Amino acid sequence: MLIDFNLKEKIKGLKKKGSPSLHSGQPQYFDIGVAFWLINPDEEEYTPEYLSQKYLYKEFGGKKDLQLLCQIAEKKLKEYKLEKLFYEVEMPLLPVLAEMEKIGIKLDPKFLKSLDKKLGSRIEELVKIIYKGSGGPFNINSPKQLGEILFQKLQVGLKGVKKTKGGKISTDVETLMTIRDRHPVVRHILEYRELFKLQSTYVKPLQALADKNSRVHTTYIQTGTTTGRLSSQNPNLQNIPAEGEWAKEIRKAFIAEKGYQLASFDYSQIELRVLASLSGDPKMIEAFNKNLDIHKMTAANVFNVPLEKVTSEMRRTAKTLNFGVVYGMGAMAFAKTSGLDFAKAKNFIEEYFSDFKRIKEWQEKVKSQARISGYVVNLNGRRRWLLELTSMFRQQAAEAERAAINMPVQGLAADIIKIAMVKVAAEIKKRKWLNADTSPVPQSGIRGSDKVRMLLTIHDELLFEIKDDIIKEAESVIVKIMESAYELEVPVKVDVKIGKNWGF
DNA sequence: TATGAGGGCGCC
DNA sequence: AAACGGCGCCCTCATA
């Protein structure tokens, strides 16, 4: 067994003759950092230095000792019933992530360059318009300067404008939207903000990070969240723009290799299904069993109308409600997001919880158990310490409560997709759809023998690059594995999209 | 020149 | 007034 830190990096570096076989239940890897993350996902770092200092202080004055760290971790994993999750999910996931990072995803450099130009010239235009409209140049990217221009120089009214945490006048998109009609320059600032963000955060960095074969390689951080999700870094490929005209263009820059297609497999409403399953709420479960439009069903309930009478407006409100409930949203936040007034928002939330009583009950149960024990666990033992639940600062306690009710849901959804990834990877290997483990990547960057490559994981979505001739077969195999990766009290559904690029 | 906080915003 | 869970990255600006 390999025992170390950063095993994913070491696996990536393995030239290796024989590929490591992943017999289930046979631990091949023991990543100490990941183990400590399962034990407590709120550590500052998961480095040998930090953990030694923290956990070996008494024994060795903080001297590094991997063997000892490993022993401590093993004991805790057992005590916390995390062994299954560790040995059968997180560790088998290591080589899967390593492979995904190594393969990378292909970009269309010419397309990106042209997009860059288009964005650049529109931004230039906007800058001119904004300077002219506000009587002189200033740094539009500086909230401080922008605020001064708008609210002092241009005398835009402050009605409905909020302050930032630091007490300064906010210039965020919500604020700009409310003052949109008070000065003609505001709409141009809004457009500038959007385009500058896309260019500086996505279009430019992606071009810079592409390798010789125009592929970009993210790094997945397995210890990067408190709920069990992965995070993605440098570049973050889990926050590529999705909504909007320009966003679509950016997605089109992610392409499949010649002879391949991109295919995305998306868990449908996974967190809501998990919530229905965990809470056992009969109405919610029935809706999923009948494969109903869940937001529409929710709308029918909270508005007390038959399904046929649900308008798109009602559905939108219900959708916000469904999402909000998973996050522990209060009336205030719901009012803001939905555009309703506070009293109405409050009523809707009350109506929701009276229609879906078990959800409320489940949330209360989670909170009270967590208050007593100081931590919250999900179905697979994934754990998060939340000592702030009993804080005398109400704000802190409330935040901890929301985290407490969210973690078992988000965490189980994370488990499900991780399990699916491990199973799909095993199937790909079994069917010899990927030679990645044994064959070197040729100069071209194309391994012609690869049939199916797992590229990205975006919380509830897996993105693959699949050879044309096998696309149909691969699709049904992957869907089947994902939908049956984990048994819930409701069906698990996966939606598929296929195309030459990610613009779908 | 490097660093970190603050403000802001992209995704699920 | 008050923000709803989980992330990473951009720019500005003050400070070292």
Side-chain angles (χ1 to χ4, degrees):
Chain A
M1 180 160 71
L2 264 175
I3 303 173
D4 208 336
F5 280 84
N6 270 323
L7 275 177
K8 173 159 63 65
E9 286 310 307
K10 289 172 180 74
I11 293 167
K12 279 167 87 171
L14 290 181
K15 295 286 177 213
K16 63 124 86 143
K17 338 262 160 161
S19 47
S21 48
L22 303 168
H23 301 117
S24 63
Q26 277 297 347
Q28 297 280 320
Y29 302 116
F30 194 105
D31 189 300
I32 302 169
V34 174
F36 273 93
W37 170 71
L38 278 186
I39 291 158
N40 177 10
D42 274 298
E43 298 284 3
E44 307 230 345
E45 295 177 30
Y46 294 93
T47 58
E49 292 76 20
Y50 179 88
L51 293 172
S52 298
Q53 191 57 235
K54 177 157 176 179
Y55 289 93
L56 305 182
Y57 187 73
K58 283 178 200 141
E59 291 85 345
F60 292 95
K63 196 168 85 62
K64 254 203 292 187
D65 186 326
L66 299 196
Q67 280 302 324
L68 204 52
L69 280 175
C70 178
Q71 279 174 31
I72 292 171
E74 272 183 312
K75 205 174 123 200
K76 282 286 179 191
L77 289 176
K78 175 166 282 204
E79 182 188 335
Y80 292 169
K81 304 201 183 318
L82 284 165
E83 286 171 310
K84 197 168 157 80
L85 199 56
F86 182 73
Y87 291 116
E88 293 180 26
V89 182
E90 300 293 352
M91 289 306 97
L93 194 60
L94 284 166
V96 179
L97 295 174
E99 185 62 30
M100 292 166 75
E101 292 180 9
K102 274 210 289 198
I103 293 172
I105 182 165
K106 192 176 178 71
L107 296 173
D108 182 341
K110 285 202 279 240
F111 187 87
L112 268 179
K113 198 172 169 187
S114 125
L115 192 53
D116 198 1
K117 278 226 166 84
K118 283 180 201 162
L119 279 169
S121 59
R122 181 60 185 154
I123 287 169
E124 266 185 50
E125 280 176 18
L126 287 165
V127 168
K128 279 184 196 149
I129 296 169
I130 291 165
Y131 288 170
K132 195 159 189 184
S134 50
F138 65 99
N139 190 340
I140 310 170
N141 292 330
S142 164
K144 185 163 171 275
Q145 292 184 40
L146 179 59
E148 284 161 9
I149 295 284
L150 287 174
F151 300 108
Q152 290 173 28
K153 192 168 175 187
L154 301 181
Q155 288 290 304
V156 173
L158 283 168
K159 189 162 183 285
V161 172
K162 53 179 185 175
K163 300 270 178 70
T164 66
K165 202 173 268 187
K168 290 189 257 286
I169 298 170
S170 174
T171 66
D172 66 11
V173 60
E174 193 192 328
T175 303
L176 294 180
M177 286 301 283
T178 67
I179 64 167
R180 196 188 175 82
D181 295 326
R182 296 180 201 173
H183 197 284
V185 85
V186 176
R187 59 179 58 254
H188 295 116
I189 291 169
L190 277 162
E191 188 185 350
Y192 171 90
R193 271 267 175 83
E194 182 192 353
L195 301 201
F196 193 89
K197 170 92 179 180
L198 296 183
Q199 190 186 43
S200 65
T201 307
Y202 304 101
V203 175
K204 289 200 180 290
L206 283 174
Q207 294 181 90
L209 288 168
D211 69 12
K212 322 286 168 257
N213 306 308
S214 303
R215 299 185 81 97
V216 279
H217 308 265
T218 189
T219 301
Y220 289 106
I221 309 297
Q222 206 169 354
T223 57
T225 72
T226 51
T227 56
R229 278 186 178 180
L230 295 160
S231 73
S232 158
Q233 198 178 58
N234 191 30
N236 180 356
L237 295 182
Q238 292 180 326
N239 74 342
I240 300 301
E243 295 294 325
E245 210 176 308
W246 291 94
K248 253 306 176 24
E249 292 303 298
I250 293 177
R251 290 222 162 193
K252 281 188 199 163
F254 291 81
I255 59 174
E257 202 76 65
K258 195 191 282 283
Y260 290 77
Q261 306 258 49
L262 289 183
S264 102
F265 298 74
D266 206 303
Y267 277 116
S268 160
Q269 307 291 354
I270 188 67
E271 291 199 349
L272 223 42
R273 287 175 199 263
V274 165
L275 179 62
S277 188
L278 292 176
S279 68
D281 188 87
K283 265 192 205 143
M284 195 70 80
I285 288 177
E286 189 194 355
F288 281 123
N289 279 335
K290 287 184 174 168
N291 199 21
L292 294 183
D293 176 337
I294 193 71
H295 302 312
K296 198 170 166 187
M297 181 283 293
T298 303
N301 274 281
V302 296
F303 285 94
N304 289 308
V305 297
L307 274 175
E308 316 85 65
K309 286 282 174 73
V310 172
T311 66
S312 58
E313 180 63 32
M314 290 157 82
R315 187 184 181 277
R316 248 198 47 229
T317 303
K319 185 176 176 181
T320 307
L321 214 35
N322 271 331
F323 274 102
V325 163
V326 180
Y327 303 148
M329 183 168 65
M332 194 69 188
F334 178 54
K336 267 199 170 160
T337 339
S338 62
L340 298 166
D341 64 66
F342 182 85
K344 277 214 172 77
K346 190 160 170 281
N347 280 339
F348 274 122
I349 292 180
E350 279 165 10
E351 176 70 29
Y352 185 99
F353 282 128
S354 101
D355 288 332
F356 307 103
K357 287 197 175 57
R358 298 283 290 272
I359 292 181
K360 184 73 181 170
E361 287 168 18
W362 176 82
Q363 292 185 336
E364 291 305 319
K365 193 186 75 192
V366 169
K367 281 191 277 187
S368 71
Q369 281 188 351
R371 255 192 299 272
I372 294 165
S373 62
Y375 62 85
V376 52
V377 280
N378 87 342
L379 218 51
N380 295 314
R382 206 180 278 286
R383 161 182 305 234
R384 181 174 180 186
W385 296 91
L386 287 168
L387 304 178
E388 304 86 350
L389 279 170
T390 50
S391 168
M392 5 180 353
F393 302 103
R394 318 200 76 174
Q395 176 78 11
Q396 262 193 24
E399 279 173 20
E401 285 192 347
R402 294 192 295 266
I405 60 169
N406 177 259
M407 185 275 182
V409 177
Q410 191 181 126
L412 184 55
D415 293 347
I416 293 172
I417 199 163
K418 282 177 166 179
I419 290 165
M421 289 169 72
V422 169
K423 290 188 172 179
V424 170
E427 188 66 21
I428 288 173
K429 173 174 265 182
K430 187 176 144 205
R431 290 175 180 255
K432 301 204 188 324
W433 275 348
L434 185 67
N435 278 347
D437 280 319
T438 49
S439 72
V441 180
Q443 205 63 40
S444 66
I446 303 166
R447 267 184 312 232
S449 53
D450 286 0
K451 297 276 195 188
V452 180
R453 302 167 174 150
M454 202 188 302
L455 303 184
L456 302 180
T457 170
I458 308 153
H459 309 306
D460 62 355
E461 171 187 0
L462 296 179
L463 190 75
F464 292 80
E465 194 174 24
I466 302 176
K467 224 172 198 186
D468 289 325
D469 62 343
I470 206 154
I471 193 97
K472 274 293 150 201
E473 186 186 357
E475 177 184 343
S476 79
V477 166
I478 293 168
V479 166
K480 195 166 291 177
I481 293 174
M482 287 178 71
E483 289 185 341
S484 61
Y486 197 96
E487 189 92 1
L488 294 178
E489 301 299 318
V490 295
V492 175
K493 217 179 123 209
V494 168
D495 296 323
V496 186
K497 278 171 280 183
I498 296 172
K500 282 303 289 180
N501 61 57
W502 204 5
F504 297 131

